[in-house]
Amino acid sequence: MLDDAGLKALREAARLSPDNLPLRRHLAEQLLAKGYLADAEAEFRAALLLAPKDVDITAGLAEAFVRQSAHGAALAALEPLLATPGYPPRLGVLAARALLGEGETGKAGYRYHEAVSRDPSVADAELEGRLSAPPAPTIQPEPVPAAPAGDSAQGGAEVERSQFTFADVAGMEAVKEALRVKLLLPIQQPELFAAYGKRAGGGVLLYGPPGAGKTHLARAAAGELGASFVNVGLADILDMYVGSSERNLRATFDMARRNRPCVLFFDEVDALAARRSDMRQAHTRQLVNQFLAELDGVDPTANEGVLVLAATNAPWYIDVAFRRPGRFDQLVFVPPPDAAARAAILRILCRDKPLAEMDFDAVAKVTEQFVGADLKGLVDRAVEAKLQQSLAAGRPVPMSTPDLLAAAQGLRPTSVREWLATARNYVLHANESGAWDELMPWIKGKW
Ligand code: ADP
């Protein structure tokens, strides 16, 4: 480690050549090593401006934040990289430390467990001890009215009644049609299916960029069907203790079976269903095997009336065993919305608000690459501004097109382009079975 004179010389050198990235990174790392946390933070920030996606710099900045107990800032710095499939496991450990600092023990446990299962060398005994100290609190799903029964599995997932139907999902006609045939028709018109010798069953794997509406669609499918809805997040299943994750998974399936007809939705399923060859730890492989066993059911009627949907941003990580008949035998791409779909999403998001005449197409035009989640953020932002105006005026001031346009100005879309670039790497040379046909037009240059 440098002494203070060396550090001073390094600072001077960095001041003289501010665009020298390796030099700035080195200075930042030295400052961090010596515990000059605020200075390290400032240097990492400056370096990040030169190389916005640099993993080492992001990790350094996040560590500087964590050590200053700025856990939220650390998570914000890590977020873009954590959203990228296959992110470096050490970032997961940093995120776990930050999450623990925020009191999110369940999520922290998941991040840690996931990181160490991919690379055991990042294990951190001290952190592990802190993670397993108190029982992990569970993550609650979005606040949607619960079913009267109020059923819940020991892992934390709960039974909901969805207040959405397909009418609340803008665009995506092809996706809705695929789900209708797969999920709804066999239940709504069983005679027709029986006549053709087809049996209801098997799950659907929804994949696409983050925020494109996979969860919304699954919830709407439950509402459309009049079925209960169980939204299973990773933190509901993954547990630090060997064997507990399998138990949580079994309890979740059992809960869905008790509440049939039920749509059982697994978000971020790639972590539960990853290729077993990618897993270094035997107990993670056991979880995958347990998941396969639950999907198959102990007998052919075990999962009758339970429709399993799953979502992933990284379908290429899923073990092929999950794609066999009766499991996730249908892959459905949930695409980023085009201009017409964005206008339709905006219309849906604004429909209960006091509105002047709106030109949603104009807003759709300036929000290229925005996905549903981005558009929701935009509308929330415009509503907040309008609320303040209304409070000042003492009456509701209706929202208008310029309000949405203004809200759009400061916003950047999440990473659809990056997602498609990653998808291109994975699937372009691996589409022999035609599994990625729906995705092909998108990765071959539509964006
Ligand atoms: P994902 O599960 O793909 O990450 P979400 O389903 O969480 O994305 O989408 C985030 C939010 O964006 C939803 O809660 C919903 O409000 C909105 N949204 C996304 N797609 C649509 C759509 N097609 N129609 C209406 N709202 C949508």
Side-chain angles (χ1 to χ4, degrees), residues 290-429:
Q290 173 78 29
F291 198 179
L292 290 170
E294 292 297 342
L295 286 170
D296 293 344
V298 281
D299 63 63
T301 59
N303 289 339
E304 225 162 59
V306 176
L307 307 168
V308 189
L309 287 179
T312 176
N313 306 330
W316 34 84
Y317 285 153
I318 306 268
D319 197 299
V320 283
F322 282 92
R323 304 236 297 271
R324 304 231 173 92
R327 296 172 178 170
F328 295 113
D329 45 21
Q330 196 162 347
L331 234 62
V332 172
F333 177 46
V334 179
D338 59 15
R342 289 196 299 277
I345 293 175
L346 286 164
R347 191 167 290 118
I348 285 185
L349 290 169
C350 289
R351 68 185 162 190
D352 310 324
K353 324 266 184 269
L355 294 180
E357 197 147 311
M358 300 295 284
D359 182 354
F360 289 114
D361 291 326
V363 185
K365 224 181 242 162
V366 301
T367 48
E368 216 169 307
Q369 290 188 40
F370 278 53
V371 289
D374 299 326
L375 295 172
K376 186 160 190 292
L378 184 158
V379 170
D380 287 348
R381 195 176 158 141
V383 165
E384 226 162 80
K386 220 63 223 174
L387 214 66
Q388 294 202 339
Q389 276 180 30
S390 302
L391 283 175
R395 66 187 161 78
V397 184
M399 196 155 70
S400 61
T401 311
D403 293 320
L404 290 185
L405 292 173
Q409 277 212 331
L411 288 180
R412 286 200 305 137
T414 46
S415 47
V416 172
R417 208 183 275 276
E418 284 85 348
W419 186 86
L420 285 169
T422 308
R424 187 176 294 120
N425 287 340
Y426 278 100
V427 309
L428 208 50
H429 305 292

Side-chain angles (χ1 to χ4, degrees), residues 48 52-63 66 71 74-99 107-108 110-116 118-119 121-123 127:
L48 208 54
K53 287 188 188 143
D54 188 290
V55 171
D56 292 330
I57 298 175
T58 308
L61 179 61
E63 185 171 343
V66 168
H71 299 116
L75 289 170
L78 290 169
E79 200 169 36
L81 291 177
L82 293 180
T84 314
Y87 60 83
R90 68 195 166 99
L91 298 186
V93 175
L94 266 173
R97 285 169 61 192
L99 284 163
K107 285 186 187 176
Y110 153 61
R111 280 286 178 210
Y112 180 77
H113 176 99
E114 201 265 347
V116 174
R118 284 200 285 133
D119 180 1
S121 75
V122 299
L127 177 61

Side-chain angles (χ1 to χ4, degrees), residues 103-163:
E104 301 261 26
T105 318
K107 285 186 187 176
Y110 153 61
R111 280 286 178 210
Y112 180 77
H113 176 99
E114 201 265 347
V116 174
S117 74
R118 284 200 285 133
D119 180 1
S121 75
V122 299
D124 174 339
E126 184 266 337
L127 177 61
E128 210 166 305
R130 283 164 59 212
L131 280 170
S132 52
T138 54
I139 295 181
Q140 297 304 319
E142 274 180 42
V144 180
D151 202 353
S152 74
Q154 70 203 62
E158 287 180 355
V159 178
E160 304 171 17
R161 282 275 153 204
S162 166
Q163 83 269 45

Side-chain angles (χ1 to χ4, degrees), residues 142 168-170 172 209-216 345 348-349 372-373 376:
E142 274 180 42
D168 301 292
V169 180
M172 300 201 213
K214 298 181 287 298
T215 309
H216 187 55
I345 293 175
I348 285 185
L349 290 169
K376 186 160 190 292

